[in-house]
């Protein structure tokens, strides 16, 4: 089978490297030769550090999309356009597609999968979530006999690296972020990663496969990690026995699906608590399998390229495929409004140490029907601003938001209170 690669960047170079290094393995496992016939990129002059025949390089995507000899198109340019147009044109021309483009799938899933079904081709996308971790095919195939009860994921390496370093080195967020940028773990503009948008797009794909529901990102509750301080992590670790993780959550609760991306306190006894650094972990519970954990490198040239080439191999031996070309089987009728979800909460607020302040704070919680489990105030000196750490019993998100809105108006409270859910 002939393959055309659009996007000769970091991951694309990894794909070329695999085809150069393991053609014998690919041949033995598929029973056929998978050949890179054309590689397209706007820049074909820069040395990517891999050996490639200059004769197959081009700057024109139509050299792939209009070539009747090409069977599979790999799209690795990312973003929405022209990636969407390239994929749809490949499908219309009867070509299978392999992509790692989580953003595009999260936004245009129905359009792309409907087109693939209409033209009888496959769209494979294992690399879009978790890099080289084989979670999507497992979710769609190996766990297919199960009703999925919950999916929890640490699926952004940048955010996880920052939180891990804050915990292990006792550093503040801004200092770790600068270090992550210097080391190449964070982009120059890290907003997409640290504010939860990358995680949200991956959660959308996991939710499609696990629950058959497509929730657009603008309807998803998404929070990032930029408000977390060193003392939050220290308190969570020492007093609550938890790690702080940016967690994607999809779980069934009384027949409704709860979805969100939030920084969350994960108890140390939970497997996800030990997912550190740039690694990813996805924890899935099925009604018959019970919990299943997937762990590995969630990004990077070699890991992600491995998933891309594996998708090509799967298409070669199984062109009909078993991954969905539609929205999947819907197993839940409604998505619960996030304000109606519930959890125990950790809350940190800064307030002036003076008589009556704790009474006012407790009163706000009481008026919203929230029961407090513990209150800790450390380093108190009258008249100074000190942090107050509060842990609640289970309460609804709406009640917590209402109480914190009221508390933020107390004249002795400084800044915005922070609240983190406890898994």
């Amino acid at each position: 089978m002939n393959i055309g690669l659009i996007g000769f960047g970091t991951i694309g170079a990894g794909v070329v490297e695999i085809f150069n290094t393991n053609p014998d393995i690919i041949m033995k496992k598929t029973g056929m030769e998978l050949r890179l016939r054309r590689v397209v990129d706007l820049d074909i002059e820069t040395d990517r550090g891999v050996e490639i025949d200059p004769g197959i390089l081009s700057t024109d995507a139509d050299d792939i999309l209009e070539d009747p000899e090409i069977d599979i198109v790999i799209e690795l340019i990312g973003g929405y356009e022209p990636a969407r147009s390239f994929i749809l044109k490949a499908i219309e021309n009867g070509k299978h597609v392999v992509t790692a483009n989580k953003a595009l799938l999260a936004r245009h899933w129905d359009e792309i999968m409907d087109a693939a079904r209409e033209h009888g081709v496959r769209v494979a996308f294992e690399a879009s979530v978790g890099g080289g971790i084989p979670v999507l095919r497992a979710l769609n195939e190996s766990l297919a006999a199960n009703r999925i009860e919950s999916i929890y994921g640490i699926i952004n390496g940048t955010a996880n690296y920052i939180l891990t370093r804050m915990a292990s080195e006792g550093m503040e967020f801004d200092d770790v972020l600068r270090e992550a940028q210097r080391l190449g773990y964070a982009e120059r503009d890290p907003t997409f990663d640290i504010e939860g948008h990358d995680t949200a797009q991956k959660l959308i794909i996991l939710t499609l496969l696990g629950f058959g529901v497509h929730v657009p990102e603008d309807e998803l509750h998404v929070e990032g990690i930029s408000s977390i301080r060193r003392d939050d992590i220290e308190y969570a670790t020492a007093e609550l026995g938890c790690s702080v993780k940016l967690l994607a959550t999809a779980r069934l609760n009384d027949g409704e699906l709860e979805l969100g991306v939030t920084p969350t306190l994960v108890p140390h006894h939970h497997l996800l608590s030990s997912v550190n650094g740039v690694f990813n972990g996805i924890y899935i519970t099925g009604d018959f399998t019970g919990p299943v954990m997937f762990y590995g490198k969630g990004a990077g040239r070699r890991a992600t390229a491995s998933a891309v080439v594996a998708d090509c191999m799967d298409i070669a031996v199984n062109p009909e495929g078993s991954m969905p070309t539609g929205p999947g089987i819907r197993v839940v009728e409604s998505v619960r409004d996030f304000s109606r979800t519930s959890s125990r909460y950790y809350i940190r607020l800064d307030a002036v140490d003076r008589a009556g302040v704790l009474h006012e704070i407790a009163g706000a919680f009481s008026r919203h029907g929230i029961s407090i489990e513990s209150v800790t105030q450390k380093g108190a000196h009258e008249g100074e601003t000190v942090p107050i750490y509060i842990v609640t019993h289970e309460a609804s998100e709406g009640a917590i938001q209402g109480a914190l809105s009221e508390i933020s108006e107390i004249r002795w409270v400084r800044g915005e209170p922070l609240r983190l859910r406890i898994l």
Side-chain angles (χ1 to χ4, degrees):
M1 297 188 78
N2 290 313
I3 297 171
L5 168 62
I6 303 177
F8 192 25
T10 300
I11 309 304
V15 169
V16 174
E17 182 182 8
I18 292 176
F19 279 116
N20 288 345
T21 306
N22 291 335
D24 54 334
I25 292 177
I26 294 171
M27 171 73 80
K28 288 177 181 177
K29 291 186 176 181
T30 63
M32 66 185 76
E33 179 187 6
L34 270 63
R35 182 177 61 177
L36 268 179
R37 180 181 176 92
R38 183 72 66 183
V39 176
V40 166
D41 197 277
L42 292 176
D43 172 16
I44 57 174
E45 303 297 329
T46 300
D47 183 6
R48 268 68 166 191
V50 295
E51 184 179 336
I52 189 167
D53 176 4
I56 72 170
L57 293 171
S58 170
T59 59
D60 187 354
D62 279 343
D63 287 344
I64 289 176
L65 301 175
E66 300 290 355
D67 184 347
E69 298 297 318
I70 289 180
D71 306 291
I72 301 172
V73 175
I74 301 173
E75 179 275 309
L76 294 177
I77 59 176
Y80 300 112
E81 287 292 352
R84 170 183 162 275
S85 297
F86 288 165
I87 285 176
L88 290 175
K89 188 170 185 178
I91 291 171
E92 289 168 5
N93 288 340
K95 304 180 189 304
H96 303 289
V97 170
V98 173
T99 181
N101 196 332
K102 58 190 172 293
L104 185 66
L105 292 172
R107 179 175 292 185
H108 295 289
W109 175 275
D110 289 339
E111 180 182 28
I112 291 170
M113 296 306 172
D114 286 349
R117 187 167 57 251
E118 178 183 351
H119 292 277
V121 298
R122 287 187 59 187
V123 176
F125 48 91
E126 183 65 65
S128 65
V129 178
I133 304 172
V135 63
L136 298 185
R137 187 167 286 108
L139 185 60
N140 190 66
E141 297 178 6
S142 302
L143 299 174
N146 287 255
R147 173 184 288 272
I148 301 301
E149 296 177 344
S150 64
I151 302 172
Y152 296 103
I154 298 169
I155 44 183
N156 182 270
T158 299
N160 202 44
Y161 173 83
I162 290 172
L163 293 171
T164 300
R165 291 284 289 169
M166 289 177 70
S168 63
E169 305 296 331
M171 299 170 68
E172 291 290 0
F173 175 86
D174 289 339
D175 296 329
V176 181
L177 175 58
R178 282 191 292 269
E179 180 185 271
Q181 290 171 319
R182 180 179 61 82
L183 295 173
Y185 293 139
E187 301 289 343
R188 181 175 299 178
D189 179 1
T191 305
F192 192 67
D193 294 312
I194 65 174
E195 297 303 340
H197 303 296
D198 173 80
T199 299
Q201 291 172 350
K202 295 171 182 175
L203 176 60
I204 290 169
I205 295 171
L206 288 168
T207 303
L208 276 159
L209 296 188
F211 301 97
V213 177
H214 184 202
V215 181
E217 187 177 354
D218 59 5
E219 297 179 15
L220 199 62
H221 183 90
V222 180
E223 299 174 42
I225 63 172
S226 56
S227 297
I228 295 173
R229 300 192 316 214
R230 178 180 62 186
D231 61 315
D232 298 317
I233 291 179
E234 290 174 346
Y235 189 87
T237 301
E239 304 295 334
L240 302 178
C242 293
S243 301
V244 181
K245 302 294 183 183
L246 182 61
L247 200 66
T249 298
R251 68 172 185 173
L252 285 176
N253 190 344
D254 292 332
E256 292 184 302
L257 185 61
E258 297 183 353
L259 289 173
V261 175
T262 58
T264 302
L265 272 63
V266 180
H268 286 156
H269 61 76
H270 197 289
L271 282 174
L272 285 174
S273 178
S274 62
V275 178
N276 292 319
V278 296
F279 282 80
N280 284 193
I282 303 101
Y283 188 91
I284 301 173
T285 301
D287 59 349
F288 278 81
T289 60
V292 181
M293 176 82 165
F294 297 85
Y295 172 85
K297 290 184 177 179
R301 167 172 154 168
R302 295 170 69 89
T304 308
S306 169
V308 169
V309 176
D311 273 346
C312 293
M313 295 169 65
D314 185 55
I315 288 173
V317 299
N318 188 18
E320 299 299 320
S322 59
M323 290 293 273
T325 53
I329 299 173
R330 190 179 181 100
V331 297
V332 12
E333 290 306 314
S334 61
V335 177
R336 180 171 292 185
D337 186 277
F338 195 76
S339 66
R340 294 180 51 238
T341 65
S342 61
S343 174
R344 292 171 64 224
Y345 285 86
Y346 158 86
I347 293 160
R348 181 258 300 154
L349 51 92
D350 298 318
V352 176
D353 180 28
R354 58 175 290 129
V357 174
L358 282 177
H359 178 73
E360 290 188 59
I361 292 170
F365 282 116
S366 177
R367 284 188 288 276
H368 288 270
I370 299 167
S371 176
I372 295 175
E373 181 178 308
S374 66
V375 179
T376 305
Q377 179 177 309
K378 295 185 176 181
H381 298 282
E382 187 162 354
E384 293 183 358
T385 299
V386 295
I388 300 172
Y389 308 103
I390 300 169
V391 177
T392 75
H393 290 288
E394 187 158 328
S396 73
E397 175 71 18
I400 290 289
Q401 292 283 14
L404 294 184
S405 177
E406 187 176 327
I407 289 169
S408 66
E409 298 298 320
I410 297 174
R411 61 179 298 191
W412 308 113
V413 172
R414 303 289 184 254
E416 289 295 320
L418 174 77
R419 61 97 181 83
L420 302 177
R421 297 163 77 88
I422 302 174
L423 181 65

